[in-house]
Amino acid sequence: NLMMMEKHGSIFNDSFTHIASGSEVWGIKNQVDVYKIHWTGYQMWQKVTGNLVTLDVSESGHAWGVDKEGRVYKKVNNTDGNWERILENYLVAKHISVGESGVWI
């Protein structure tokens, strides 16, 4: 939201190619490196495992992403867990959207 961007504007000036927000804020830097904001009294970007080109995160904290080959992943444990590949042999995607009505690819 605009208030968040104004309050924490400097966090968006770090060459991120994609930003997603839900219950948490996630970003992609250098076109594949995944980060999320870790709140410890102030915001700090924390590198997360994974190499994605786009992602989205729901209000309930579920993160989903797409890699450069179009493979779809869901974050198993948002703190330090791995990404789980979804529908391994059936799905190739360019974009993903996550919300109350589900995951849209």
Side-chain angles (χ1 to χ4, degrees):
N1 73 30
L2 185 56
M3 186 175 189
M4 173 77 158
M5 289 176 61
E6 288 176 0
K7 184 175 180 184
H8 303 288
S10 63
I11 63 173
F12 294 98
N13 297 329
D14 203 12
S15 68
F16 284 91
T17 54
H18 187 81
I19 297 286
S21 70
S23 64
E24 302 172 311
V25 180
W26 291 66
I28 296 176
K29 188 175 177 180
N30 303 323
Q31 298 181 356
V32 294
D33 297 329
V34 180
Y35 288 81
K36 76 175 199 170
I37 289 185
H38 178 68
W39 301 97
T40 56
Y42 62 94
Q43 89 282 346
M44 182 176 83
W45 286 105
Q46 172 186 8
K47 191 167 187 328
V48 178
T49 60
N51 292 303
L52 304 173
V53 294
T54 189
L55 60 81
D56 201 8
V57 60
S58 71
E59 286 297 324
S60 57
H62 298 130
W64 292 71
V66 178
D67 71 7
K68 67 181 180 178
E69 303 298 325
R71 295 176 290 225
V72 176
Y73 295 88
K74 178 183 179 185
K75 189 72 168 155
V76 177
N77 175 334
N78 284 352
T79 306
D80 55 6
N82 294 321
W83 293 86
E84 175 185 347
R85 187 159 174 206
I86 305 298
L87 299 173
E88 192 166 320
N89 297 316
Y90 302 101
L91 190 60
V92 176
K94 288 188 177 187
H95 303 283
I96 195 158
S97 180
V98 182
E100 287 184 31
S101 61
V103 178
W104 293 85
I105 301 166

